[in-house]
Amino acid sequence: MPPDSWDEGRPLPQPYNSVGSRGVTGLASRILSALMPLNDTPFFKFGMIDGSEAPTEVGTYLESLSYQVYRKLISTNLREIVYQALQSLIIAGDALLIMDDNFFFSLYRLDQYVVQRNISGEVIEVIHQEYEVVDPDEIRWDQAQLDNRHGFKTFYCQYLLQDGVWTYTKEDSEGNVVSQGEYIVPPFAVLRWLALPGENYGRSHCEDIYGDLMSLEGYTKSLVDGLAASSTFWIGIDPTGVTEVDDVAPYRNGSFVSARSGDIFTITPAATMNPQVQSASRAVEEMRREVGQAFLTAAQAIPSGDRVTATAVRMIGSELETVLGGAFSSIARTLMEPIVARTIVLMIDKGLLDPGLEEQFFAEDGTLNTQIITGLQALSRDSDLQKLMQLGEMVRNLPPEAVATFRWDAYAGALISSLGFDPRLWVKDEETVRAERQEAQNMQTQMGISQSMGQGVAQAVGGAAQTALQDPAIQEQLLGEIMQ
């Protein structure tokens, strides 16, 4: 969030290091990949509200419904807005996301809205500013005058929870009501990084590590100043010697001059400042590691040295994945669930889904709910493939009885998902495998019956022929034919 009274024509303060900036970018990208994977698989699923397993036909329909809603969501600017929201959460701690009726999203900073929560932390009222263009030729932004931006007209939009229904009121700057309405599912998601009891707003990740960030900034400034000071030097000439300044100064580099080497020397504080510069350098390196670890930057967290083993690196990576436990779970719930619910409502209103789903999802006696399936394990998505390959090697070494109980279909689905493909296109479901297995058994049974019948006929024919050969008349007839 920019400083107070700042506008686009003024520069922002420039720090001495960019570790925090790179950390915010990397952490936001990593959480975005965990919340919305790039493998064309929905980050949510629909299930029974009582936790029971849905019947086969219902489960197939719900899976198809999740893909339909996901494709509608992913075709909008959701990924871009969520990335910006995550950056705002990491730095400022709060963000407001609004979903318009055209399925596109808008993001509001903390200085553009206010929120009120109840004692349990649930949102009960939100008011945010909204601007409409009235004169495109006069558009000028002035952060110091939020209510009087040139070329825009300011409106205030209020969402208030009353008796389980969200009421909407839009007023202009004079207090005149422009529009009103009600929502079954509110079109906003109020996000905060770290929630504290009794507070309407959240705390940011940068606020948690503010001391480390400021220490790194101070040490980096000292290091830069020390390096700049130690790099300065002057050319000194012995005033009692035969060489004078005019004998050296007028000539360019590489020229021949008449001077005595003992009369000319270099004056620099580098030798005396070297211990201070090295101390500042070590401090900067240590704080870089601390800040990098806070932003889940494994490369910054891994210590340097000859005795760092692969096991130590894996342990550090596992430790980093658990740093964002509470914040990640809160963001996944407060961000994804409202978005999916609002999308279902809009698709029903526009005739893209069955109207009966509204009662099943949002009525008091509804039977369906939304489950966000991206979790902490998604933070380690980069190493999922290696872990799955290690799991396959371990299973191959198990006894046959244990291998028989292993869920190979689930393993194949997870392996294909880690590669970024849709498991439904590669892994057969249990019903298909069961049907093919039954068909193969039926074919084997039919082949066995056919072979048994053939052997019985052959035995019967052979027995009849042997009996016929024992008849004297037939023997005499066959002998006559052979003689001819």
Side-chain angles (χ1 to χ4, degrees):
M1 192 168 63
D4 295 336
S5 303
W6 178 86
D7 57 42
E8 293 181 346
R10 302 178 184 178
L12 290 170
Q14 296 297 322
Y16 282 86
N17 75 93
S18 58
V19 178
S21 176
R22 295 198 304 267
V24 170
T25 302
L27 183 57
S29 300
R30 192 169 185 181
I31 297 179
L32 177 64
S33 299
L35 292 174
M36 303 174 61
L38 295 174
N39 56 359
D40 292 333
T41 302
F43 51 85
F44 57 91
K45 66 178 181 179
F46 302 129
M48 309 300 293
I49 199 171
D50 57 358
S52 61
E53 188 70 21
T56 303
E57 295 182 357
V58 176
T60 303
Y61 172 74
L62 293 179
E63 183 178 4
S64 175
L65 178 64
S66 66
Y67 273 87
Q68 183 179 358
V69 176
Y70 172 75
R71 285 191 292 267
K72 187 63 179 178
L73 267 175
I74 208 67
S75 63
T76 64
N77 64 337
L78 175 61
R79 184 175 293 274
E80 174 187 355
I81 293 298
V82 170
Y83 178 68
Q84 297 176 5
L86 290 173
Q87 289 182 313
S88 181
L89 289 176
I90 295 171
I91 299 174
D94 296 87
L96 174 64
L97 190 144
I98 301 291
M99 184 175 183
D100 300 328
D101 293 341
N102 58 356
F103 298 94
F104 277 77
F105 299 86
S106 302
L107 183 66
Y108 293 86
R109 293 196 316 249
L110 184 58
D111 58 344
Q112 297 172 335
Y113 73 93
V114 292
V115 61
Q116 185 177 4
R117 302 175 184 269
N118 58 18
I119 193 63
S120 61
E122 301 296 331
V123 178
I124 59 176
E125 184 180 9
V126 176
I127 302 176
H128 71 87
Q129 292 177 323
E130 190 175 284
Y131 302 95
E132 293 183 4
V133 179
V134 294
D135 190 355
D137 297 332
E138 295 294 331
I139 292 179
R140 284 187 293 112
W141 296 96
D142 187 0
Q143 187 72 14
Q145 299 179 357
L146 292 176
D147 299 335
N148 188 24
R149 294 191 173 184
H150 302 281
F152 292 88
K153 188 173 183 180
T154 305
F155 295 91
Y156 296 91
C157 303
Q158 180 196 47
Y159 299 89
L160 181 62
L161 181 62
Q162 294 180 337
D163 299 330
V165 178
W166 285 95
T167 61
Y168 170 75
T169 305
K170 182 177 181 180
E171 299 180 356
D172 57 16
S173 57
E174 287 78 19
N176 301 317
V177 177
V178 178
S179 62
Q180 291 179 324
E182 293 183 351
Y183 289 94
I184 300 176
V185 177
F188 63 83
V190 184
L191 310 176
R192 52 180 178 174
W193 180 265
L194 179 61
L196 294 180
E199 293 189 1
N200 294 320
Y201 303 93
R203 307 290 180 88
S204 70
H205 185 57
C206 290
E207 189 174 352
D208 290 340
I209 61 172
Y210 186 74
D212 291 344
L213 291 172
M214 296 305 297
S215 297
L216 176 60
E217 179 71 6
Y219 285 136
T220 305
K221 182 179 183 301
S222 299
L223 178 61
V224 172
D225 293 341
L227 291 174
S230 63
S231 63
T232 58
F233 66 94
W234 299 269
I235 304 298
I237 296 179
D238 187 359
T240 61
V242 297
T243 305
E244 297 181 356
V245 176
D246 295 337
D247 296 335
V248 179
Y251 299 94
R252 65 176 183 270
N253 293 340
S255 301
F256 292 95
V257 296
S258 177
R260 190 172 64 178
S261 60
D263 294 343
I264 303 175
F265 54 92
T266 303
I267 303 174
T268 177
T272 57
M273 294 189 63
N274 188 47
Q276 290 84 351
V277 172
Q278 290 182 354
S279 299
S281 179
R282 287 193 298 267
V284 168
E285 186 66 24
E286 180 65 24
M287 295 311 303
R288 280 176 175 266
R289 187 178 298 111
E290 294 290 335
V291 174
Q293 184 174 358
F295 284 111
L296 302 189
T297 307
Q300 295 288 346
I302 297 176
S304 59
D306 299 333
R307 298 178 178 270
V308 180
T309 62
T311 303
V313 173
R314 286 195 298 268
M315 292 178 62
I316 293 173
S318 301
E319 181 181 355
L320 295 182
E321 292 168 8
T322 60
V323 172
L324 300 179
F328 187 86
S329 302
S330 175
I331 293 172
R333 182 181 66 87
T334 58
L335 173 62
M336 295 307 178
E337 288 185 4
I339 289 176
V340 176
R342 178 63 178 166
T343 304
I344 294 175
V345 171
L346 290 179
M347 294 183 70
I348 292 175
D349 291 342
K350 297 181 181 299
L352 302 177
L353 293 179
D354 184 3
L357 291 174
E358 182 174 349
E359 182 178 356
Q360 298 298 326
F361 274 102
F362 307 112
E364 293 183 359
D365 57 347
T367 59
L368 301 178
N369 66 348
T370 303
Q371 304 170 8
I372 306 300
I373 58 178
T374 51
L376 285 178
Q377 68 277 6
L379 286 175
S380 59
R381 191 171 302 276
D382 296 338
S383 59
D384 279 352
L385 180 59
Q386 298 180 1
K387 294 180 181 178
L388 289 170
M389 297 299 292
Q390 293 177 1
L391 176 61
E393 293 293 336
M394 293 171 58
V395 173
R396 292 189 185 96
N397 297 326
L398 294 176
E401 295 80 4
V403 175
T405 62
F406 187 73
R407 287 288 305 274
W408 290 105
D409 56 342
Y411 175 76
L415 186 64
I416 294 173
S417 297
S418 65
L419 293 173
F421 298 102
D422 188 355
R424 300 182 304 167
L425 303 177
W426 301 88
V427 181
K428 300 177 182 178
D429 54 15
E430 294 182 1
E431 294 183 0
T432 303
V433 174
R434 192 182 303 112
E436 292 180 352
R437 190 177 301 166
Q438 184 66 33
E439 184 179 357
Q441 291 178 356
N442 295 337
M443 292 182 62
Q444 290 180 358
T445 303
Q446 293 177 1
M447 292 178 61
I449 294 174
S450 300
Q451 292 178 358
S452 299
M453 292 178 61
Q455 292 177 359
V457 171
Q459 292 176 359
V461 173
Q466 186 175 6
T467 303
L469 290 175
Q470 294 177 357
D471 189 351
I474 295 177
Q475 292 179 359
E476 183 178 357
Q477 182 181 355
L478 292 175
L479 182 61
E481 293 179 356
I482 292 174
M483 296 297 294
Q484 291 178 359

